[in-house]
Amino acid sequence: MSDYGHDLVFGSFVTPSNDDPDRTVGVAVLSEQVGLDLVTFQDHPYQPAFLDTWTLLSFVAARTNRVHLAANVTNLPLRPPAVLARSVASLDLLSGGRVGLGLGAGAFWDAIEAMGGRRLTPGQGVRALEEAIEVIRQLWDTETRGGVRVDGEFHRVVGAKRGPAPAHAVPIWLGAYKPRMLQLTGRRADGWLPSLGYLQPGDLAKGNAIIDDAAQQAGRAPQDVRRLLNISGQFSAVGRGQLNGPAEQWARELTELALGEGVSTFILANDDPDDLRRFAGEVAPAVRELVAAERERAAAPERTPTPDRAAEPELAAEPELAAEPAPVAAPPVRASRASVTGGAFAVVPTPDDGVRRSDQQVWDESVRPTGPTPDPDRTYTPHEQATGAHLVQIHDGLRAELAQIHDLIEQVAAGEIDAGTARSHINTMTMRQNRWTLGVYCESYCRIVTTHHTIEDQSLFPRLRARDPRLGPVVDRLEQEHHVIHDVLEGVDRALVAYVGSPDGLTELRAAVDLLTDALLSHLSYEERELVEPLARLGIA
C-alpha cells in the first residue's frame, strides 16, 4: 500500500485534432467549466492531423482562467530544451502560473527522423532527457549568477543567459515505463506520468518502488514525486470491467489506485463532453470524499465517548438556528455559518424554512428521531469543526444546483432562452434543443445526489454508529430517507422521458422537481441538524 498524501487532481487528455479546431478548444474550455483541474494534449509534431501542441496550449490558456495546462508529454527530440524552457516559462507567466511540463524521451523514431530529429537508442534517450532537464532547470534558475552551461552528449549550452523565471515552480513530469526512466524520475523529476493502458498488473507497484529507491539515493523523499496516471474507460449502467461501469464503480476503483498505488492525479483520455461532465461532477467528488475519509481514519486514533457522556439520556438536539431562513439556492461557501474557529461549536445547521412546493408528502417529518444533546461545556478545535462545515458546503452545492434546475425550467417554459443561452447556464456544449439540455442537466444532478448518498451509506454512517450507538436511530432514519429520495429521483427521470417526448410533459416535470425539492431540502436540513456536532465530537471526516 502506497499513499503519498498528495492532494487529488483530476484532468482531461484531449485529442489535438485539427479537423475541427473549435471543437478541440471547446472540449478544453469545457474541462475548466465542469470543474476539472488540468487539461493536457499529446505532442506529436510529426502528425499532420494534429494541431501543434504548444500553439494549442497557448490558445487554450488565453481562453481559460483557472485550469492548469500541460503537454502529455512533450516530444523532446523535436523540442530543443533551451527553447522549450523559455516557451514554458513564457506561457506560465502569461497564464498566471498554470503550466506543467510533461517530458518524454521520444518514440516513433521514423517519424521523428523524418522531421529532422536525431534517432536515439533507448539508453541514449534517457541520457538526453536527463541533460535536457538540467538545461531547463538552469534556464529557469535566475537566482544563480552566470550563464547556463551544460556540456552534454546530446544537449550543449555554453553561456546562455538565464530566464525568464516561470511564475511558479513548474513541475516536470516524466512519461516513464522502463527501469532507467523510472530511476531518472526518482532522481530528477517532480512526477511520474504513465498511461494505465500500457501497464500490466503490478507495474504501478514496481514503478513506485524503483522511483522511491532512486529518490532516496538522491537525497530526496518519495513524496517529492507526484504519481499521475492517464486513464480511459467507459461509463455504463452495469460494470463490465475496469473503469467500465457506473460512476460509483469508477469512484471505488480510482480510490483504490489513490490509496493503494499512490496515484494522486487522474487524467481522463476522452473527448466526449458528457463523459467529462460525469467524470468531473460525479467521479472526482466521490473519490475526494472517499480518500479524505480513509486518510482521516488512518491518521486519527479511534475515539470512544467518555463514561459520563455515554451515560447521558437521549434528548432532542436542537442547535441554535440562523436568524433568517435559508433560500432554496444557498451560496456554495458560507463563512458566517460554517466558521471553524476554535472554542464553542460554531457550525450552524441550515434551518428548514417549512416552505413546501408540492401537496404530496413522502414521509412523516414529525417522527424523525433525534440524537444526544451536545455538551454545552465542550470546546472544539478548528480541525474538528471542519468536517461539519464541509458537510454543509456539500449540501449547499446540492441546494444551489436544485435552484438552477428550477430557474432553467421556468426560462424554458417562458421561451426566454435559446440553446446557446441554456448551454452557458449549465456548461453544455453538445445539446441543441432546450428540452434535451434541461433533460441532461436534471439527469446529471440526480446521479450526483445518488453518488453522495452512496458515500454516506457505505462510509460515513457505519462509522457514526460504531463511534456512538446513540446515533443509531438517526442514522437508520437518514438511510431510509435516502431510499425515499431515490424513488423521488426515479419520478423525476420518468417525468424527463415525458418532457422530452411531448411539450405537455413540462407540467409533470415541474411537479416532480417540486416534490424532489421538498424532500431533499427537508432531508439535508435534518441531516445537518443531527450530524454536524457529532462529526466534530467523534472526530469523523
Side-chain angles (χ1 to χ4, degrees):
M1 298 288 288
S2 298
D3 178 10
Y4 299 94
H6 297 135
D7 59 304
L8 297 183
V9 173
F10 295 85
S12 61
F13 191 0
V14 181
T15 306
S17 301
N18 62 24
D19 59 342
D20 189 351
D22 288 342
R23 186 183 189 282
T24 298
V25 174
V27 173
V29 173
L30 175 69
S31 298
E32 175 175 86
Q33 291 174 337
V34 300
L36 293 176
D37 311 297
L38 175 67
V39 173
T40 70
F41 301 98
Q42 56 189 294
D43 182 34
H44 296 288
Y46 38 76
Q47 173 54 268
F50 288 170
L51 297 164
D52 174 71
T53 296
W54 277 97
T55 306
L56 178 59
L57 285 168
S58 300
F59 194 87
V60 171
R63 293 283 302 275
T64 54
N65 299 295
R66 176 192 57 81
V67 73
H68 285 240
L69 304 158
N72 189 353
V73 290
T74 305
N75 189 291
L76 185 61
L78 293 174
R79 307 280 188 185
V83 177
L84 177 63
R86 289 197 169 137
S87 298
V88 173
S90 297
L91 186 55
D92 198 54
L93 290 166
L94 290 167
S95 66
R98 293 191 286 128
V99 177
L101 177 56
L103 286 176
F108 305 104
W109 290 104
D110 289 344
I112 289 172
E113 197 169 37
M115 288 283 289
R118 177 182 174 183
R119 183 185 293 269
L120 301 177
T121 67
Q124 289 174 329
V126 175
R127 298 198 299 274
L129 178 56
E130 185 159 18
E131 292 173 6
I133 294 173
E134 181 63 26
V135 171
I136 292 167
R137 292 202 188 280
Q138 284 200 35
L139 258 296
W140 290 344
D141 180 12
T142 57
E143 300 297 319
T144 300
R145 298 176 60 86
V148 175
R149 295 190 177 277
V150 177
D151 188 11
E153 179 183 0
F154 304 96
H155 299 295
R156 187 166 179 266
V157 181
V158 287
K161 293 185 178 180
R162 298 173 184 268
H168 83 305
V170 174
I172 295 178
W173 306 322
L174 300 189
Y177 297 92
K178 300 299 183 180
R180 283 177 293 189
M181 281 288 290
L182 293 168
Q183 291 165 358
L184 174 59
T185 302
R187 291 196 307 271
R188 302 298 306 273
D190 304 300
W192 176 31
L193 177 53
S195 294
L196 184 59
Y198 293 158
L199 298 173
Q200 298 298 318
D203 282 354
L204 282 172
K206 294 175 184 176
N208 280 333
I210 294 172
I211 290 171
D212 293 352
D213 183 63
Q216 291 170 337
Q217 291 186 26
R220 311 174 71 204
Q223 291 81 3
D224 292 341
V225 183
R226 175 179 284 272
R227 317 303 157 111
L228 307 92
L229 189 64
N230 293 320
I231 61 173
S232 61
Q234 182 176 344
F235 289 103
S236 57
V238 180
R240 297 183 176 89
Q242 186 178 39
L243 297 182
N244 188 340
E248 294 85 351
Q249 175 186 327
W250 280 60
R252 290 194 301 270
E253 292 178 359
L254 296 189
T255 298
E256 291 171 0
L257 288 170
L259 297 173
E261 306 289 357
V263 178
S264 57
T265 298
F266 297 96
I267 306 172
L268 179 61
N270 194 316
D271 299 331
D272 184 275
D274 288 336
D275 285 350
L276 289 176
R277 289 189 201 95
R278 185 173 292 188
F279 183 61
E282 300 174 49
V283 177
V287 176
R288 285 192 169 104
E289 196 162 349
L290 290 170
V291 170
E294 180 58 27
R295 285 175 173 174
E296 183 74 13
R297 186 202 64 77
E302 290 291 318
R303 301 181 185 178
T304 56
T306 57
D308 57 324
R309 291 287 295 140
E312 288 183 3
E314 296 187 22
L315 302 177
E318 284 293 338
E320 181 182 354
L321 301 182
E324 298 181 1
V328 171
V333 178
R334 302 174 296 184
S336 62
R337 292 183 48 224
S339 171
V340 291
T341 56
F345 192 74
V347 182
V348 181
T350 306
D352 184 346
D353 61 9
V355 175
R356 298 294 181 263
R357 294 169 174 261
S358 174
D359 295 333
Q360 184 178 354
Q361 294 183 350
V362 294
W363 51 52
D364 185 355
E365 298 177 6
S366 66
V367 297
R368 281 171 166 163
T370 58
T373 303
D375 181 355
D377 296 326
R378 192 192 192 285
T379 60
Y380 304 83
T381 67
H383 178 73
E384 290 174 326
Q385 297 187 66
T387 301
H390 181 56
L391 179 66
V392 172
Q393 290 168 0
I394 291 173
H395 287 179
D396 281 348
L398 295 176
R399 295 183 182 101
E401 295 283 343
L402 194 57
Q404 290 180 44
I405 293 178
H406 282 284
D407 182 64
L408 187 57
I409 289 174
E410 297 310 315
Q411 291 184 66
V412 172
E416 296 175 351
I417 59 174
D418 56 21
T421 304
R423 182 174 56 193
S424 67
H425 276 300
I426 61 178
N427 293 333
T428 297
M429 300 182 64
T430 58
M431 297 298 104
R432 299 176 183 272
Q433 300 179 26
N434 285 340
R435 66 182 58 204
W436 279 111
T437 300
L438 176 60
V440 169
Y441 186 61
C442 291
E443 180 187 3
S444 175
Y445 179 74
C446 292
R447 288 197 303 266
I448 292 171
V449 172
T450 301
T451 300
H452 174 65
H453 285 175
T454 299
I455 291 171
E456 289 185 330
D457 291 343
Q458 295 182 356
S459 176
L460 179 63
F461 289 170
R463 295 164 66 195
L464 284 167
R465 278 197 192 91
R467 300 280 184 89
D468 189 346
R470 295 173 299 169
L471 290 170
V474 171
V475 172
D476 290 342
R477 172 69 185 216
L478 289 171
E479 288 181 334
Q480 293 167 7
E481 293 190 4
H482 284 178
H483 291 293
V484 174
I485 290 174
H486 173 77
D487 292 339
V488 176
L489 290 171
E490 290 293 317
V492 173
D493 183 66
R494 290 191 295 271
L496 283 170
V497 173
Y499 174 61
V500 171
S502 168
D504 297 335
L506 184 62
T507 299
E508 182 181 349
L509 176 59
R510 184 184 280 118
V513 174
D514 283 347
L515 182 60
L516 173 63
T517 300
D518 291 349
L520 189 60
L521 293 184
S522 171
H523 171 78
L524 297 179
S525 293
Y526 172 53
E527 182 173 295
E528 290 176 23
R529 188 190 77 188
E530 296 301 325
L531 295 191
V532 290
E533 189 278 335
L535 288 172
R537 172 168 52 86
L538 301 174
I540 295 177

Short mmCIF file of all heavy atoms in Angstrom, two decimals, residues 82-119:
data_model
loop_
_atom_site.label_atom_id
_atom_site.label_comp_id
_atom_site.label_asym_id
_atom_site.label_seq_id
_atom_site.Cartn_x
_atom_site.Cartn_y
_atom_site.Cartn_z
N ALA A 82 16.54 24.23 -24.47
CA ALA A 82 16.73 25.63 -24.09
C ALA A 82 15.56 26.49 -24.59
O ALA A 82 15.05 27.36 -23.88
CB ALA A 82 18.06 26.14 -24.64
N VAL A 83 15.13 26.23 -25.83
CA VAL A 83 13.99 26.96 -26.37
C VAL A 83 12.71 26.56 -25.65
O VAL A 83 11.86 27.39 -25.34
CB VAL A 83 13.87 26.71 -27.89
CG1 VAL A 83 12.65 27.42 -28.46
CG2 VAL A 83 15.13 27.17 -28.61
N LEU A 84 12.56 25.26 -25.38
CA LEU A 84 11.39 24.77 -24.67
C LEU A 84 11.28 25.42 -23.29
O LEU A 84 10.17 25.79 -22.85
CB LEU A 84 11.47 23.25 -24.53
CG LEU A 84 10.35 22.57 -23.74
CD1 LEU A 84 9.00 22.77 -24.42
CD2 LEU A 84 10.65 21.07 -23.57
N ALA A 85 12.40 25.56 -22.59
CA ALA A 85 12.38 26.17 -21.26
C ALA A 85 11.80 27.57 -21.31
O ALA A 85 11.00 27.96 -20.45
CB ALA A 85 13.79 26.20 -20.68
N ARG A 86 12.18 28.34 -22.32
CA ARG A 86 11.67 29.70 -22.42
C ARG A 86 10.21 29.72 -22.86
O ARG A 86 9.43 30.58 -22.46
CB ARG A 86 12.55 30.51 -23.37
CG ARG A 86 13.92 30.79 -22.74
CD ARG A 86 14.69 31.88 -23.42
NE ARG A 86 15.84 32.24 -22.58
CZ ARG A 86 17.06 32.47 -23.03
NH1 ARG A 86 17.31 32.36 -24.33
NH2 ARG A 86 18.04 32.80 -22.22
N SER A 87 9.82 28.76 -23.69
CA SER A 87 8.40 28.66 -24.08
C SER A 87 7.54 28.37 -22.85
O SER A 87 6.49 28.99 -22.65
CB SER A 87 8.22 27.56 -25.12
OG SER A 87 8.93 27.85 -26.30
N VAL A 88 7.97 27.42 -22.04
CA VAL A 88 7.20 27.05 -20.85
C VAL A 88 7.13 28.22 -19.88
O VAL A 88 6.06 28.55 -19.35
CB VAL A 88 7.82 25.82 -20.17
CG1 VAL A 88 7.13 25.53 -18.84
CG2 VAL A 88 7.73 24.61 -21.09
N ALA A 89 8.26 28.85 -19.62
CA ALA A 89 8.28 29.97 -18.67
C ALA A 89 7.41 31.11 -19.17
O ALA A 89 6.69 31.75 -18.39
CB ALA A 89 9.72 30.44 -18.45
N SER A 90 7.46 31.39 -20.47
CA SER A 90 6.66 32.48 -21.01
C SER A 90 5.17 32.20 -20.86
O SER A 90 4.40 33.07 -20.44
CB SER A 90 7.01 32.69 -22.49
OG SER A 90 8.36 33.07 -22.65
N LEU A 91 4.74 30.98 -21.19
CA LEU A 91 3.33 30.65 -21.07
C LEU A 91 2.90 30.63 -19.60
O LEU A 91 1.77 31.00 -19.27
CB LEU A 91 3.04 29.30 -21.73
CG LEU A 91 1.58 28.88 -21.79
CD1 LEU A 91 0.73 29.95 -22.48
CD2 LEU A 91 1.43 27.54 -22.50
N ASP A 92 3.80 30.21 -18.73
CA ASP A 92 3.48 30.22 -17.30
C ASP A 92 3.26 31.65 -16.82
O ASP A 92 2.34 31.92 -16.03
CB ASP A 92 4.59 29.54 -16.51
CG ASP A 92 4.14 29.14 -15.11
OD1 ASP A 92 3.12 28.44 -15.00
OD2 ASP A 92 4.80 29.54 -14.13
N LEU A 93 4.09 32.57 -17.27
CA LEU A 93 3.92 33.98 -16.90
C LEU A 93 2.63 34.54 -17.49
O LEU A 93 1.88 35.26 -16.81
CB LEU A 93 5.13 34.80 -17.39
CG LEU A 93 6.45 34.53 -16.66
CD1 LEU A 93 7.61 35.13 -17.45
CD2 LEU A 93 6.40 35.13 -15.25
N LEU A 94 2.35 34.23 -18.73
CA LEU A 94 1.16 34.76 -19.39
C LEU A 94 -0.13 34.19 -18.80
O LEU A 94 -1.17 34.86 -18.78
CB LEU A 94 1.21 34.45 -20.89
CG LEU A 94 2.26 35.21 -21.69
CD1 LEU A 94 2.44 34.59 -23.08
CD2 LEU A 94 1.88 36.69 -21.82
N SER A 95 -0.07 32.96 -18.31
CA SER A 95 -1.27 32.31 -17.79
C SER A 95 -1.44 32.45 -16.29
O SER A 95 -2.42 31.94 -15.73
CB SER A 95 -1.24 30.81 -18.14
OG SER A 95 -0.18 30.16 -17.46
N GLY A 96 -0.52 33.12 -15.62
CA GLY A 96 -0.63 33.28 -14.18
C GLY A 96 -0.24 32.04 -13.41
O GLY A 96 -0.84 31.73 -12.37
N GLY A 97 0.76 31.30 -13.91
CA GLY A 97 1.27 30.15 -13.17
C GLY A 97 0.43 28.91 -13.32
O GLY A 97 0.16 28.20 -12.35
N ARG A 98 0.02 28.58 -14.56
CA ARG A 98 -0.89 27.44 -14.77
C ARG A 98 -0.30 26.36 -15.68
O ARG A 98 -1.04 25.56 -16.25
CB ARG A 98 -2.21 27.94 -15.36
CG ARG A 98 -3.02 28.80 -14.42
CD ARG A 98 -4.43 29.05 -14.92
NE ARG A 98 -4.49 30.00 -16.03
CZ ARG A 98 -5.10 29.77 -17.18
NH1 ARG A 98 -5.67 28.61 -17.43
NH2 ARG A 98 -5.14 30.71 -18.11
N VAL A 99 1.01 26.30 -15.80
CA VAL A 99 1.63 25.38 -16.75
C VAL A 99 2.44 24.30 -16.03
O VAL A 99 3.16 24.59 -15.07
CB VAL A 99 2.53 26.15 -17.74
CG1 VAL A 99 3.24 25.18 -18.69
CG2 VAL A 99 1.70 27.15 -18.53
N GLY A 100 2.30 23.07 -16.50
CA GLY A 100 3.17 21.97 -16.09
C GLY A 100 3.92 21.49 -17.31
O GLY A 100 3.52 21.72 -18.45
N LEU A 101 5.03 20.78 -17.08
CA LEU A 101 5.85 20.31 -18.20
C LEU A 101 5.96 18.79 -18.14
O LEU A 101 6.67 18.23 -17.31
CB LEU A 101 7.24 20.94 -18.15
CG LEU A 101 8.23 20.47 -19.22
CD1 LEU A 101 7.66 20.69 -20.62
CD2 LEU A 101 9.57 21.17 -19.06
N GLY A 102 5.23 18.14 -19.04
CA GLY A 102 5.42 16.70 -19.22
C GLY A 102 6.50 16.47 -20.26
O GLY A 102 6.52 17.14 -21.29
N LEU A 103 7.39 15.53 -20.00
CA LEU A 103 8.51 15.26 -20.91
C LEU A 103 8.59 13.77 -21.22
O LEU A 103 8.36 12.93 -20.34
CB LEU A 103 9.84 15.71 -20.30
CG LEU A 103 10.14 17.20 -20.26
CD1 LEU A 103 11.46 17.44 -19.53
CD2 LEU A 103 10.19 17.79 -21.66
N GLY A 104 8.94 13.47 -22.47
CA GLY A 104 9.17 12.10 -22.87
C GLY A 104 10.48 11.98 -23.62
O GLY A 104 10.93 12.94 -24.27
N ALA A 105 11.10 10.81 -23.54
CA ALA A 105 12.38 10.61 -24.21
C ALA A 105 12.23 10.46 -25.71
O ALA A 105 13.20 10.66 -26.46
CB ALA A 105 13.08 9.38 -23.63
N GLY A 106 11.02 10.15 -26.18
CA GLY A 106 10.80 10.02 -27.62
C GLY A 106 10.33 8.62 -27.98
O GLY A 106 10.64 7.63 -27.32
N ALA A 107 9.56 8.57 -29.05
CA ALA A 107 9.07 7.31 -29.63
C ALA A 107 8.79 7.59 -31.10
O ALA A 107 8.98 8.71 -31.57
CB ALA A 107 7.82 6.83 -28.90
N PHE A 108 8.35 6.59 -31.83
CA PHE A 108 8.05 6.75 -33.26
C PHE A 108 9.25 7.40 -33.97
O PHE A 108 9.15 8.46 -34.58
CB PHE A 108 6.79 7.59 -33.47
CG PHE A 108 5.59 7.05 -32.73
CD1 PHE A 108 5.14 7.64 -31.57
CD2 PHE A 108 4.94 5.92 -33.21
CE1 PHE A 108 4.05 7.14 -30.89
CE2 PHE A 108 3.83 5.41 -32.53
CZ PHE A 108 3.39 6.02 -31.36
N TRP A 109 10.38 6.72 -33.90
CA TRP A 109 11.64 7.32 -34.34
C TRP A 109 11.70 7.55 -35.84
O TRP A 109 12.38 8.47 -36.31
CB TRP A 109 12.82 6.47 -33.86
CG TRP A 109 12.98 6.56 -32.36
CD1 TRP A 109 12.62 5.63 -31.44
CD2 TRP A 109 13.48 7.68 -31.63
NE1 TRP A 109 12.89 6.09 -30.17
CE2 TRP A 109 13.43 7.35 -30.26
CE3 TRP A 109 13.99 8.93 -32.00
CZ2 TRP A 109 13.84 8.21 -29.26
CZ3 TRP A 109 14.42 9.80 -31.00
CH2 TRP A 109 14.34 9.44 -29.65
N ASP A 110 11.00 6.74 -36.62
CA ASP A 110 10.98 7.01 -38.06
C ASP A 110 10.37 8.37 -38.34
O ASP A 110 10.89 9.14 -39.17
CB ASP A 110 10.18 5.91 -38.79
CG ASP A 110 10.90 4.57 -38.82
OD1 ASP A 110 12.12 4.56 -38.56
OD2 ASP A 110 10.24 3.56 -39.10
N ALA A 111 9.26 8.66 -37.68
CA ALA A 111 8.60 9.95 -37.88
C ALA A 111 9.45 11.10 -37.34
O ALA A 111 9.52 12.18 -37.95
CB ALA A 111 7.23 9.94 -37.22
N ILE A 112 10.11 10.88 -36.21
CA ILE A 112 10.98 11.92 -35.64
C ILE A 112 12.13 12.21 -36.60
O ILE A 112 12.45 13.38 -36.87
CB ILE A 112 11.49 11.48 -34.26
CG1 ILE A 112 10.35 11.50 -33.23
CG2 ILE A 112 12.65 12.37 -33.80
CD1 ILE A 112 10.71 10.90 -31.89
N GLU A 113 12.73 11.16 -37.11
CA GLU A 113 13.85 11.34 -38.02
C GLU A 113 13.40 12.02 -39.31
O GLU A 113 14.12 12.86 -39.88
CB GLU A 113 14.48 9.98 -38.32
CG GLU A 113 15.87 10.05 -38.92
CD GLU A 113 16.55 8.69 -38.97
OE1 GLU A 113 15.85 7.69 -39.22
OE2 GLU A 113 17.78 8.63 -38.74
N ALA A 114 12.19 11.71 -39.79
CA ALA A 114 11.68 12.34 -41.00
C ALA A 114 11.48 13.84 -40.82
O ALA A 114 11.54 14.61 -41.79
CB ALA A 114 10.36 11.68 -41.39
N MET A 115 11.24 14.27 -39.55
CA MET A 115 11.07 15.70 -39.25
C MET A 115 12.39 16.39 -38.95
O MET A 115 12.41 17.57 -38.60
CB MET A 115 10.13 15.86 -38.06
CG MET A 115 8.68 15.56 -38.36
SD MET A 115 7.84 16.87 -39.28
CE MET A 115 7.72 18.14 -38.00
N GLY A 116 13.50 15.68 -39.05
CA GLY A 116 14.80 16.28 -38.80
C GLY A 116 15.38 16.00 -37.45
O GLY A 116 16.46 16.50 -37.12
N GLY A 117 14.69 15.18 -36.64
CA GLY A 117 15.22 14.83 -35.33
C GLY A 117 16.25 13.72 -35.42
O GLY A 117 16.37 13.03 -36.44
N ARG A 118 16.99 13.54 -34.36
CA ARG A 118 18.04 12.53 -34.31
C ARG A 118 17.50 11.25 -33.71
O ARG A 118 16.88 11.26 -32.64
CB ARG A 118 19.22 13.04 -33.48
CG ARG A 118 20.35 12.04 -33.31
CD ARG A 118 21.45 12.63 -32.44
NE ARG A 118 22.49 11.64 -32.13
CZ ARG A 118 23.53 11.87 -31.33
NH1 ARG A 118 23.66 13.07 -30.77
NH2 ARG A 118 24.42 10.93 -31.09
N ARG A 119 17.71 10.15 -34.39
CA ARG A 119 17.28 8.84 -33.87
C ARG A 119 18.18 8.44 -32.71
O ARG A 119 19.41 8.49 -32.82
CB ARG A 119 17.33 7.79 -34.96
CG ARG A 119 16.84 6.41 -34.52
CD ARG A 119 17.04 5.38 -35.62
NE ARG A 119 16.18 5.66 -36.77
CZ ARG A 119 14.96 5.16 -36.92
NH1 ARG A 119 14.46 4.34 -36.00
NH2 ARG A 119 14.26 5.44 -38.00
#
